[in-house]
Every structure is written in structure tokens, then in C-alpha cells.
Amino acid sequence: MEKNLPLKLDTEILKQLATEQLVEIIIKQGNSIEKLTNRVVELEKEIEKLKVSTDLDSIRLWKAPLGDILKKTENKQQEKPE
């Protein structure tokens, strides 16, 4: 099979190819699909990890100012009784 197949395999080109060439194209496409599918799964897992990390960061950021507000309120209450 020729290594330099056209990028776009249309019906007329495929009809002119030998069975062995068609089989090789199918096998290469199957391998490419498998690699791409695996990569998609890896990226989806990474996205989920990042979402969890972002959610945890949001929770941490949200809690920090809340803690500061409570401390300021406590300090004001301690200052009032004289």
C-alpha cells in the first residue's frame, strides 16, 4: 500500500484500491480510533480531577473570609464591654 494516501478518501478512490489496501486503511483507522478514545478517557479523568480540585479550592476560599468575619465580630464584642 502506498504510504502517501490522499487525506480525503472518497468513494471513487476507495473503489480503485485493492482489498489489501482497504484492509490496511481500516486497521490504521481502528488503531487511530483506539488511541484517540484512550486519550479522550485520560482527558475526561483529568477534567474530573481538576473540577474536584477547583471545587475544593472554592470551598477553601469561601471558608477563609468567613473565618475572618467571625474573628472580627468576636474582636468587636470583646472591645465593647468596658
Side-chain angles (χ1 to χ4, degrees):
M1 181 175 144
E2 293 179 18
K3 297 265 181 182
N4 299 326
L5 285 176
L7 292 177
K8 186 174 181 179
L9 296 171
D10 65 13
T11 304
E12 292 304 315
I13 293 172
L14 291 172
K15 286 180 180 179
Q16 295 174 12
L17 296 176
T19 303
E20 295 83 20
Q21 292 173 310
L22 294 171
V23 169
E24 191 171 329
I25 290 170
I26 292 168
I27 290 170
K28 284 183 179 182
Q29 288 178 341
N31 290 336
S32 294
I33 291 168
E34 184 178 358
K35 286 178 185 177
L36 290 170
T37 301
N38 290 337
R39 185 66 178 140
V40 168
V41 169
E42 289 173 15
L43 292 172
E44 286 173 339
K45 288 178 184 177
E46 186 65 25
I47 288 169
E48 285 305 312
K49 286 179 188 176
L50 291 171
K51 283 181 182 178
V52 168
S53 176
T54 303
D55 290 345
L56 290 175
D57 288 345
S58 296
I59 290 169
R60 286 186 202 118
L61 291 173
W62 182 77
K63 285 187 177 181
L66 180 62
D68 290 346
I69 291 170
L70 292 175
K71 287 179 186 176
K72 288 179 184 177
T73 305
E74 290 172 0
N75 289 340
K76 285 182 182 179
Q77 288 176 353
Q78 290 174 358
E79 292 173 6
K80 284 184 182 178
E82 288 183 19

